[in-house]
Amino acid sequence: MSTRAPEGGSSAAGTAPVLRATGLGWSVRGVPIVEDVSFAVTEGEFIAFIGPNGAGKTSLFNLISGLCPASHGRLELDGADITAEPVHARARRGLGRTFQTSSLWPGMTVADHVRLAAQAAAGPRASYRLWRRAGRYPEQVAETLERTELAHRADTLASALSHGEKRKLELAVLLVSDPRLILLDEPMAGVSAEEVPALTALIRSVHRDLGRTVLMVEHHMDVLLDLADRLAVMHHGTLLALDAPDAVMADATVQQAYLGEAL
């Protein structure tokens, strides 16, 4: 296999990519954090990003989601240049993201988290009419709670949830806005071993049953090998490899750069 990522090419011949990064980079005071990253993601694909701590995985997600401004390069979503677009504009285009650290409100119920996310996605005028007709919360909220296996916890405060349930709630908050491209940043972080299989199954369902395109950063290799179509290896802010999981795991350069280093 080639250990170099394709230079912005599509992951499937003849298929226009949903997301394309070309020479994407971010520097802070002249120090490169992410450097000349190029790759493309086909609709419905699942790409997992791996690499040692500090390799630039979350920084790359910050560039894609708009939290950090690109110092150079180009980022396209459905062929449109979004390199300079703010976070909310990318969200309106269908890009959604979760984070390593939970941002839930401890004193708010599960249902109200999802309801407010749906309201924000609908916009102020639409959400007012929607809630006036629907009462407590509209059908899309109930459906999202069912899909994320949280319907029985609808009236539970976020502070009373297990860590795995909090991760499910973060997914529910994301899914209710119906994003096409989902970025998951270490969704298994802090989740107990007993809850990992259920959360893995939920992410698989989001990808396969809902047909969402997913990019995920994760350190649980068994989870990644179960879910990913391709593995992307980050090292010192660069994209070292992008290929099928078996090919990446067998590559000597990857083994030296990633598997041989402590996470």
Side-chain angles (χ1 to χ4, degrees):
M1 104 176 176
S2 170
T3 58
R4 295 294 172 185
E7 292 299 315
S10 173
S11 60
T15 304
V18 171
L19 181 74
R20 185 195 296 272
T22 307
L24 196 64
W26 175 46
S27 299
V28 177
R29 295 180 181 178
V31 178
I33 308 300
V34 175
E35 190 170 13
D36 294 327
V37 170
S38 297
F39 67 95
V41 185
T42 299
E43 185 171 5
E45 191 174 18
F46 195 124
I47 297 181
F49 287 78
I50 65 174
N53 285 332
K57 305 180 297 298
T58 293
S59 295
L60 177 61
F61 271 30
N62 288 342
L63 283 172
I64 295 171
S65 59
L67 287 177
C68 293
S71 301
H72 56 270
R74 179 183 175 94
L75 189 68
E76 299 175 23
L77 186 63
D78 292 323
D81 185 356
I82 64 167
T83 312
E85 284 192 353
V87 173
H88 66 272
R90 301 182 194 205
R92 283 199 298 266
R93 290 183 183 272
L95 192 156
R97 179 190 175 174
T98 66
F99 294 83
Q100 294 178 22
T101 304
S102 174
S103 58
L104 301 174
W105 287 281
M108 185 179 291
T109 67
V110 167
D112 281 344
H113 273 89
V114 182
R115 177 180 62 81
L116 286 178
Q119 185 174 359
R125 293 186 179 180
S127 63
Y128 175 77
R129 293 193 300 271
L130 183 65
W131 260 258
R132 197 169 181 185
R133 290 197 308 269
R136 188 174 177 202
Y137 49 84
E139 184 179 355
Q140 71 200 79
V141 174
E143 290 176 350
T144 301
L145 292 175
E146 286 287 348
R147 174 164 293 281
T148 53
E149 302 173 343
L150 289 172
H152 67 296
R153 303 287 263 166
D155 297 323
T156 303
L157 296 180
S159 59
L161 299 177
S162 69
H163 211 92
E165 288 174 326
K166 288 178 180 178
R167 292 303 191 185
K168 288 182 178 180
L169 179 53
E170 290 163 4
L171 271 173
V173 168
L174 182 65
L175 291 174
V176 77
S177 64
D178 198 27
R180 292 180 55 230
L181 174 63
I182 296 173
L183 279 60
L184 305 177
D185 196 353
E186 296 195 35
M188 302 297 167
V191 177
S192 68
E194 292 76 15
E195 292 181 299
V196 166
L199 187 55
T200 301
L202 175 57
I203 294 172
R204 183 186 299 109
S205 175
V206 169
H207 173 226
R208 295 182 181 176
D209 298 341
L210 295 182
R212 298 298 188 262
T213 306
V214 181
L215 307 182
M216 185 167 81
V217 170
E218 185 53 60
H219 288 303
H220 284 66
M221 289 303 301
D222 53 341
V223 172
L224 297 182
L225 294 176
D226 185 27
L227 294 173
D229 298 313
R230 290 192 290 165
L231 291 184
V233 183
M234 295 290 294
H235 191 56
H236 296 311
T238 65
L239 187 57
L240 183 66
L242 177 58
D243 211 330
D246 289 347
V248 169
M249 297 297 288
D251 185 79
T253 305
V254 172
Q255 291 174 5
Q256 181 179 5
Y258 172 58
L259 300 177
E261 295 185 22
L263 295 180

